[in-house]
């Protein structure tokens, strides 16, 4: 909130200048209001995923700023068009080189999350995603190490407890799975994935009635959860199965 308040005078000043210049330099108005208009819905007014701040939110808004900067540069340096073209070419090539370098990190989950861990500290999200990638690659023991790192970085994190609980459940550590799944349930009651996982735990310890109850609760929480429907159909009496498939 403090940052928004401090930036308000600057935003108001830039907006006033673009309106004042609308006849002489309409591209400033178009570029600025493109930027503000497209950025507005994702500046905290609406929730977009789990991340409140992300580079991807600026991709389309920045087009407006580039429109304003490009037209202003042409008008300002009209007598230096060749020089401007040369500078623009150098900038474009530099951006291409940086892009090529960045693309190397986006080959797969290992390269992306490995880079994230290398340039940040205690990045619990990267630890979880890296652990999930290792699990999918059947590197089970190594995956556990990263799930534990995620918990160490954020002990009270819902996802860290849930994913580690699921990891333990998948590896038959039922006592450990129960502990972390219950913690996740207390943090986010009514979450379909958590309820499904607890249902799986109940089925694993041969408590079919509890398992069914949790699977049905998961479906009530998220009727589109394919995982919940699958486990419900797998654990319900045969006459009730068609309801969940």
């Amino acid at each position: 909130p403090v940052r928004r308040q401090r930036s308000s005078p600057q935003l108001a000043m830039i907006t006033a200048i673009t309106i004042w210049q609308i006849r002489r330099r309409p591209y400033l108005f178009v570029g600025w209001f493109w930027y503000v208009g497209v950025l507005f819905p994702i500046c905290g007014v609406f929730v977009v995923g789990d991340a409140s701040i992300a580079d991807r939110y600026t991709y389309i808004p920045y087009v407006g700023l580039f429109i304003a900067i490009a037209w202003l540069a042409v008008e300002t340096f009209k007598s230096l068009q060749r020089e401007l073209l040369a500078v623009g070419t150098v900038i474009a090539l530099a951006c291409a080189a940086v892009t090529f370098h960045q693309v190397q990190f986006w080959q797969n989950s290992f390269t992306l999350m490995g880079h994230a861990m290398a340039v940040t500290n205690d990045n619990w999200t990267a630890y979880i995603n890296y652990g999930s990638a290792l699990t999918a690659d059947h590197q089970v023991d190594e995956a556990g190490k990263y799930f534990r790192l995620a918990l160490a970085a954020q002990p009270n994190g819902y996802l860290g407890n849930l994913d580690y609980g699921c990891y333990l459940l998948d590896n038959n550590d039922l006592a450990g799975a129960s502990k972390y799944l219950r913690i996740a349930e207390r943090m986010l009651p009514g979450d379909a994935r958590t309820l499904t996982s607890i249902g799986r735990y109940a089925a694993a310890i041969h408590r079919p009635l509890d398992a069914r109850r949790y699977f049905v609760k998961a479906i009530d929480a998220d009727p589109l959860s394919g995982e919940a429907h699958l486990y419900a159909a797998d654990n319900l009496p045969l006459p009730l199965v068609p309801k969940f498939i």
Side-chain angles (χ1 to χ4, degrees):
V2 174
R3 289 182 181 176
R4 283 198 293 269
Q5 290 172 3
R6 288 180 178 176
S7 65
S8 296
Q10 291 90 326
L11 293 174
M13 182 178 68
I14 295 171
T15 302
I17 290 172
T18 59
I19 294 173
W20 172 53
Q21 291 285 312
I22 191 169
R23 290 183 179 275
R24 186 177 174 187
R25 297 183 177 91
Y27 53 81
L28 293 178
F29 179 87
V30 172
W32 177 249
F33 277 89
W34 175 311
Y35 174 72
V36 173
V38 178
L39 192 63
F40 177 75
I42 51 177
C43 66
V45 178
F46 303 106
V47 177
V48 184
D50 295 327
S52 60
I53 299 174
D55 290 347
R56 63 184 178 273
Y57 298 162
T58 63
Y59 294 163
I60 296 178
Y62 274 165
V63 172
L65 294 184
F66 292 143
I67 288 173
I69 292 169
W71 261 260
L72 182 62
V74 170
E75 180 182 323
T76 304
F77 303 103
K78 192 173 292 184
S79 61
L80 301 172
Q81 289 190 6
R82 288 185 179 180
E83 291 82 352
L84 191 61
L85 178 61
V87 171
T89 302
V90 170
I91 293 174
L93 290 173
C95 289
V98 172
T99 299
F100 179 80
H101 176 68
Q102 284 293 320
V103 165
Q104 309 309 306
F105 300 126
W106 290 81
Q107 295 179 30
N108 52 55
S109 295
F110 292 112
T111 57
L112 181 59
M113 294 304 148
H115 176 65
M117 291 186 292
V119 298
T120 58
N121 296 317
D122 296 330
N123 190 332
W124 62 270
T125 303
Y127 292 146
I128 289 174
N129 289 329
Y130 201 82
S132 298
L134 288 167
T135 301
D137 199 44
H138 307 293
Q139 300 182 49
V140 177
D141 292 338
E142 189 71 4
K145 168 186 170 183
Y146 285 94
F147 287 127
R148 287 188 289 273
L149 283 172
L151 274 176
Q154 192 185 47
N156 297 320
Y158 155 74
L159 276 177
N161 282 281
L162 174 59
D163 285 344
Y164 190 46
C166 290
Y167 165 82
L168 295 174
L169 180 61
D170 291 337
N171 289 279
N172 298 314
D173 183 348
L174 300 182
S178 175
K179 173 185 174 181
Y180 290 101
L181 292 177
R182 294 298 181 184
I183 292 173
E185 184 185 25
R186 288 196 297 271
M187 290 180 174
L188 196 63
D191 174 69
R193 187 178 164 214
T194 304
L195 294 169
T196 302
S197 299
I198 295 175
R200 289 176 54 210
Y201 164 76
I205 60 172
H206 309 293
R207 293 169 60 180
L209 294 179
D210 286 340
R212 294 169 193 168
R213 179 166 57 88
Y214 273 102
F215 292 140
V216 171
K217 286 172 67 175
I219 292 169
D220 289 340
D222 182 5
L224 298 180
S225 171
E227 183 184 40
H229 280 274
L230 176 64
Y231 282 109
D234 216 22
N235 287 271
L236 284 171
L238 193 58
L240 297 177
V241 167
K243 180 180 178 182
F244 298 98
I245 59 175

